[in-house]
Amino acid sequence: MTHRPGAEQHPRPAPWKDTAHAPARTCSSPRPALDRLRENIIAGRYRAGDRLIEKNLESEYGVSRTVIREALRQLESEKLVEIVPNVGPRARGLSYGDVVNLYQERPALESAASRLAAQRASISQLKALRTGFDHPTQRATEVDVADLISEENAFYDAPIESSGNPIICEMRASAQARIAQLLFTTLAAPDRVPHMLAELRRVVGAIEAADPTAADGASLSHVDSAVQLALRLIAHLRSTEGNLT
């Protein structure tokens, strides 16, 4: 690993809470139901357009109608649920346009985080980055897609925190649920996981080498590979299922 003179001396912002894969919550009480409902929509248990009937959800998740309504409002803000007049809440799927919009935002955020991490990361943050990468790499063949998404989200915590820029975290958090919904599609594609790990290995190596230009380029290459695959998959789903526009 390249020596990083002064890395520990970079001014750090005030402590902040990373919510990269835990979008803001309205209160503590609906959290278990909110998390489970979010995970089920992301995983496709509720398909795009499926009605989310409050009475049924109340029974399924074992919580009050108030908690369900709060959870649905939160998921509407995350764009996983849409409230249709005279119909009620429905699960919201990804459109081709959603994918384009997400990947217009994601390259800027992730490349900025990686570039800044290469410039600012402390030794302890570099260790956290390496651990965050090695753990999913070792378990990639043992876990299902949902767990792998959690592993990847956890990996991204390290460069985002190391960037020292809480705005990057806040912006990524606002789209995190939709990104996870898309990852569930792309990571299920044949051979995507080993390719993803190879791409992320280059990102980690560049950050460890304190090379911001290489880190920026590796991140952009990683996101570009993901977006090309995502657009192909979403276009295929749109043509076969007719529910994506």
Side-chain angles (χ1 to χ4, degrees):
M1 183 183 301
T2 302
H3 177 61
R4 307 173 63 84
E8 296 282 356
Q9 301 176 7
H10 276 287
R12 307 298 298 169
W16 48 278
K17 183 179 180 181
D18 181 6
T19 56
H21 57 287
R25 309 183 193 283
T26 54
C27 63
S28 59
S29 59
R31 179 168 182 169
L34 171 61
D35 289 346
R36 289 172 57 200
L37 184 53
R38 180 191 292 114
E39 290 166 2
N40 284 331
I41 294 173
I42 289 172
R45 179 182 172 194
Y46 304 111
R47 297 170 65 85
D50 281 356
R51 291 185 63 199
L52 301 171
I53 301 171
E54 292 179 358
K55 182 179 179 180
N56 294 349
L57 296 175
E58 180 182 353
S59 175
E60 179 176 355
Y61 294 101
V63 294
S64 70
R65 187 72 57 91
T66 298
V67 168
I68 290 298
R69 287 175 178 169
E70 290 174 340
L72 289 171
R73 281 196 295 268
Q74 173 62 30
L75 294 176
E76 182 186 20
S77 75
E78 296 176 21
K79 297 185 174 14
L80 292 178
V81 167
E82 58 183 349
I83 309 298
V84 182
N86 302 317
V87 175
R90 300 193 311 187
R92 187 173 185 269
L94 283 169
S95 70
Y96 192 90
D98 288 332
V99 177
V100 173
N101 291 335
L102 281 170
Y103 279 105
Q104 287 174 341
E105 173 186 271
R106 191 178 168 192
L109 294 179
E110 294 189 9
S111 65
S114 296
R115 183 176 64 254
L116 290 172
Q119 295 171 326
R120 301 178 176 181
S122 66
I123 300 302
S124 62
Q125 288 170 332
L126 288 173
K127 290 179 179 178
L129 176 69
R130 172 55 63 178
T131 299
F133 174 73
D134 287 345
H135 194 254
T137 300
Q138 294 163 0
R139 302 183 66 230
T141 60
E142 304 171 2
V143 299
D144 59 21
V145 173
D147 287 337
L148 193 57
I149 290 172
S150 295
E151 295 273 9
E152 184 176 5
N153 286 337
F155 163 78
Y156 280 116
D157 289 350
I160 288 174
E161 182 176 354
S162 300
S163 74
N165 188 328
I167 302 301
I168 292 176
C169 174
E170 293 170 10
M171 293 178 68
R172 192 171 189 275
S174 69
Q176 186 56 44
R178 302 291 277 169
I179 291 173
Q181 194 175 30
L182 185 56
L183 284 173
F184 206 92
T185 299
T186 59
L187 290 182
D191 297 327
R192 176 54 192 157
V193 171
H195 287 149
M196 177 195 73
L197 293 174
E199 293 157 9
L200 294 181
R201 184 175 290 107
R202 288 190 286 272
V203 174
V204 172
I207 294 173
E208 290 179 330
D211 188 336
T213 300
D216 186 298
S219 288
L220 288 175
S221 178
H222 165 56
V223 175
D224 183 65
S225 295
V227 69
Q228 297 305 321
L229 173 60
L231 290 175
R232 290 196 301 271
L233 292 173
I234 295 297
H236 175 70
L237 288 173
R238 181 174 58 174
S239 66
T240 57
E241 298 184 5
N243 62 357
L244 296 170
T245 59

